[in-house]
Amino acid sequence: MSIDEETAAKVAKLARIAVDEEALPALAKELSHILGFMEQLNEVDIEGVEPMTSVTPMRLKRRKDMVTDGDQQEKILKNAPDAREGFFAVPKVVE
Amino acid sequence: MSELTSLTIAEARERLRAGEVTSRELTEACLTAIDAADALNAFVHKTPEIALERADAADARIQAGDAPAMCGIPVGIKDLFCTEKVPSQAASRILEGFRPEYESTVSQNLLDDGAVMLGKLNMDEFAMGSSNETSVYGDAVSPWRRGNDTTPLTPGGSSGGSASAVAADLCLAATGTDTGGSIRQPAAFVGITGLKPTYGRCSRWGIVAFASSLDQAGPMTKSVRDAAIMLGSMAGHDPLDSTSADLAVPDFEAMITGDIRGKKIGIPREYRMDGMPDEIEKLWVAGADMLRDAGAEIVDISLPHTKYALPAYYVIAPAEASSNLARYDGVRFGHRAKLAQGDGITEMYEKTRAEGFGDEVKRRVMIGTYVLSAGFYDAYYNRARKVRTLIKKDFEDVFAAGVDAILTPATPSSAFGLGEMADADPVQMYLNDVFTVTVNLAGLPGISVPAGLDAQGLPLGLQLIGRPWEEGDLLNTAQILEDSAGFLAKPAKWW
């Protein structure tokens, strides 16, 4: 599977990473090469094989459905690049 | 002074308990060594005040007779671990200025046992790399050199700072994390011991996530015994990590008996790679002889899907990374890009992530995004997960046939020069993990033990792979390799 510039631009958009127009050809080539390496997986007979969901079989633990944590507004906002009046601040989301 | 920093954990423990040395003395010696070793760029955030405070507290505990094995032992912590109020940025620009309000479970366990944190250690950005060249802090440098050649060498990666610091005697031991080989490969490159425990043995809570189904923390130490001691402190069930195993932590150190008679050690034929250096082949044979001489039975085994481990890994790990790294959006922590007039929230995300992530991280996030995207999910991601099932089954089959442990080389070469792989394509760099990555995919414990020097005078390691949850047995076999190989070489000090 080879990735063209348009696909590379789409992937960058989905990943929310700004990529300059000029950088797209090199990026497409690089991603194509890595995906080419993965093509080897097509040689494997996977008929009837279950995809792995958990490497060590274990039951997920259950706990009571109750509040166990909270009241940490100050701590949670401590590292925010822009926090105001007890909230995370971001650019305008809705016009 | 230097004599104190070169102690093993076991030696220091005895001397501390005997009152021959204090934790403060040990800690001061390490802090002095660290300040004189900036050329290695191993410690990237030094925490001398915290260290001395904890050393004094440890000395009080030792005096009171309440001293766990790690009490008073000065250690380094990989930058991937969140440490309360201390910079923890996974060697990434996007976490610049981040000071967690909490402590990772593993570093808390060490702290509870009285271990002394000296500072944070360099690594590849988000643990993505095999040479510590993707770090925002710049390259970590190995204390080893090729004889009189002054070319700076890689300490390996991603736990490169941990490897460099332990090998250079800046600390007694360090934490590492291993997603595809990031403890074992650097340990092999610098001639120290590195243990990746069974998936679920150590809590992942508070460790910056790379690939959650593969990541595991482990000790990087100067001896196999030290790895047993330190793992005992790091490990344990944690309700905050639903994948941490609710199993008792055995006394790993007590399981080192020196007796491996009757153990069956497998030599997997698929690990004999084309173009593998003769020296590595010879070391591998020598390792098998050491175990045979100690009474183990050596058997040839087959792990037929080995060849597909790297391509499967480079689908699964980036897929999980693309999801895990979605949280770096410039809203809750770390870096936010300066916005232009009229920029909205999408521009904020895109600019922040473009500025904050390095090239290798961007590459893996985009590969992960692609293999998870509509139309390719089955072709890549699901196929890779099925291959992973087969890789794990390969191991289950040989263990079911009575094999106790598997012996392989740790790396396909000795350490290379920093920058020497700069023109190679990313896949060339990925090949560093060829012997280690299968272990992560199968969730098994693996240990790298230094076993010899190559013709350039650089360390080479052997890897032992064990059954799930049998780190104790694995460490016991590793001790035989350590004793028989008698690896005592140290890098000549140039820094």
Side-chain angles (χ1 to χ4, degrees):
Chain A
M1 177 67 69
S2 157
I3 290 192
D4 56 19
E5 287 173 40
E6 197 187 322
T7 312
K10 192 180 147 212
V11 170
K13 186 81 193 168
L14 284 172
R16 296 288 182 274
I17 297 174
V19 176
D20 291 338
E21 195 87 31
E22 313 86 79
L24 283 176
L27 177 66
K29 207 175 138 205
E30 211 169 62
L31 296 183
S32 294
H33 183 69
I34 296 172
L35 287 169
F37 174 63
M38 295 166 182
E39 298 292 312
Q40 291 177 68
L41 295 177
N42 293 328
E43 300 165 13
V44 186
D45 180 7
I46 51 164
E47 190 62 39
V49 178
E50 283 295 309
M52 183 182 287
T53 48
S54 168
V55 71
T56 38
M58 58 170 85
R59 279 181 86 85
L60 202 55
K61 286 201 164 242
R62 294 180 175 201
R63 61 167 174 80
K64 286 216 172 73
D65 184 13
M66 55 189 279
V67 176
T68 57
D69 207 350
D71 292 328
Q72 302 197 36
Q73 189 187 43
E74 201 183 313
K75 280 187 165 187
I76 286 165
L77 293 173
K78 189 103 182 180
N79 279 288
D82 189 1
R84 294 178 214 169
E85 297 163 39
F87 294 95
F88 294 113
V90 295
K92 196 191 270 186
V93 179
V94 186
E95 285 300 328
Chain B
M1 288 291 254
S2 63
E3 187 214 349
L4 288 181
T5 65
S6 63
L7 292 175
T8 62
I9 295 173
E11 289 163 352
R13 175 183 58 184
E14 303 321 318
R15 290 173 69 165
L16 283 165
R17 285 179 179 169
E20 292 165 18
V21 70
T22 62
S23 177
R24 178 171 262 270
E25 287 164 346
L26 278 176
T27 302
E28 282 174 344
C30 288
L31 292 172
T32 304
I34 290 166
D35 277 335
D38 287 344
L40 300 176
N41 200 23
F43 276 89
V44 289
H45 298 287
K46 303 174 187 176
T47 56
E49 293 85 7
I50 293 175
L52 291 173
E53 194 182 302
R54 291 187 189 166
D56 289 342
D59 282 329
R61 271 176 89 172
I62 293 164
Q63 287 244 310
D66 157 41
M70 288 300 291
C71 193
I73 305 293
V75 298
I77 304 288
K78 188 178 181 180
D79 199 39
L80 202 64
F81 293 80
C82 285
T83 43
E84 194 176 353
K85 311 259 194 247
V86 174
S88 307
Q89 62 182 91
S92 181
R93 187 172 177 218
I94 210 156
L95 277 171
E96 213 166 64
F98 177 56
R99 287 169 186 259
E101 289 292 309
Y102 50 87
E103 186 83 22
S104 80
T105 299
V106 163
S107 55
Q108 184 69 50
N109 288 346
L110 287 166
L111 172 56
D112 289 346
D113 281 350
V116 173
M117 176 174 76
L118 296 162
K120 303 300 284 289
L121 292 162
N122 206 345
M123 54 178 282
D124 279 298
E125 184 180 6
F126 284 107
M128 298 179 191
S130 303
S131 61
N132 211 123
E133 291 172 287
T134 69
S135 166
V136 71
Y137 308 118
D139 304 344
V141 181
S142 173
W144 291 86
R145 285 178 166 178
R146 297 172 181 137
N148 294 323
D149 181 347
T150 58
T151 309
L153 303 181
T154 178
S158 69
S159 309
S162 305
S164 178
V166 174
D169 289 333
L170 309 185
C171 51
L172 272 57
T175 62
T177 62
D178 192 316
T179 304
S182 285
I183 286 175
R184 291 160 287 154
Q185 182 254 23
F189 275 8
V190 303
I192 64 169
T193 301
L195 171 66
K196 183 205 92 76
T198 313
Y199 181 81
R201 181 62 92 181
C202 292
S203 168
R204 291 180 297 106
W205 194 82
I207 301 173
V208 174
F210 164 11
S212 305
S213 78
L214 301 158
D215 297 343
Q216 203 31 219
M220 300 177 72
T221 58
K222 295 174 193 180
S223 73
V224 169
R225 179 170 298 276
D226 282 8
I229 296 170
M230 191 165 168
L231 177 63
S233 177
M234 295 167 71
H237 177 243
D238 178 9
L240 297 173
D241 172 6
S242 65
T243 64
S244 93
D246 195 358
L247 291 174
V249 178
D251 183 346
F252 296 114
E253 190 185 6
M255 294 165 90
I256 300 176
T257 61
D259 183 3
I260 60 161
R261 282 173 300 175
K263 294 276 179 198
K264 213 184 245 193
I265 309 294
I267 309 290
R269 69 176 69 104
E270 289 80 6
Y271 282 60
R272 199 155 279 122
M273 313 283 291
D274 286 342
M276 190 160 82
D278 264 359
E279 291 165 306
I280 291 189
E281 176 82 42
K282 275 189 193 139
L283 187 77
W284 193 10
V285 171
D289 288 341
M290 293 172 203
L291 298 176
R292 188 185 291 113
D293 290 345
E297 182 192 348
I298 308 297
V299 292
D300 282 323
I301 59 167
S302 174
L303 299 165
H305 295 90
T306 299
K307 179 184 164 196
Y308 303 106
L310 266 183
Y313 175 84
Y314 277 97
V315 173
I316 292 167
E320 294 186 23
S322 77
S323 168
N324 273 326
L325 272 57
R327 74 191 61 170
Y328 304 104
D329 54 7
V331 175
R332 287 157 299 164
F333 30 66
H335 178 74
R336 177 187 292 188
K338 280 208 166 52
L339 301 183
Q341 196 71 32
D343 277 352
I345 195 151
T346 305
E347 287 79 11
M348 183 193 76
Y349 295 149
E350 291 181 345
K351 288 184 178 178
T352 295
R353 290 162 65 81
E355 290 178 9
F357 291 147
D359 287 343
E360 181 61 22
V361 173
K362 285 182 196 170
R363 191 149 48 221
R364 296 203 199 183
V365 166
M366 285 194 262
I367 284 285
T369 303
Y370 182 79
V371 300
L372 290 177
S373 64
F376 301 105
Y377 189 89
D378 267 326
Y380 289 103
Y381 183 60
N382 260 342
R383 176 170 282 270
R385 288 198 304 146
K386 288 177 183 178
V387 172
R388 186 176 180 189
T389 300
L390 294 171
I391 288 166
K392 183 168 184 240
K393 187 174 175 298
D394 283 354
F395 284 103
E396 286 168 350
D397 289 347
V398 298
F399 290 140
V403 167
D404 294 288
I406 297 164
L407 179 72
T408 79
T411 57
S413 70
S414 61
F416 45 91
L418 289 162
E420 281 177 6
M421 297 278 279
D423 297 329
D425 67 67
V427 173
Q428 280 306 111
M429 188 63 103
Y430 299 166
L431 291 175
N432 263 290
D433 298 333
V434 67
F435 298 134
T436 47
V437 76
T438 50
V439 175
N440 300 77
L441 289 169
L444 303 172
I447 188 166
S448 169
V449 181
L453 296 174
D454 71 0
Q456 306 174 95
L458 298 180
L460 294 171
L462 287 171
Q463 172 180 239
L464 281 164
I465 304 167
R467 297 161 176 265
W469 312 116
E470 294 190 13
E471 289 90 349
D473 192 55
L474 184 68
L475 286 156
N476 186 37
T477 308
Q479 183 68 55
I480 301 288
L481 282 184
E482 179 181 290
D483 292 343
S484 311
F487 183 91
L488 296 169
K490 286 268 189 184
K493 191 170 183 305
W494 54 263
W495 58 90

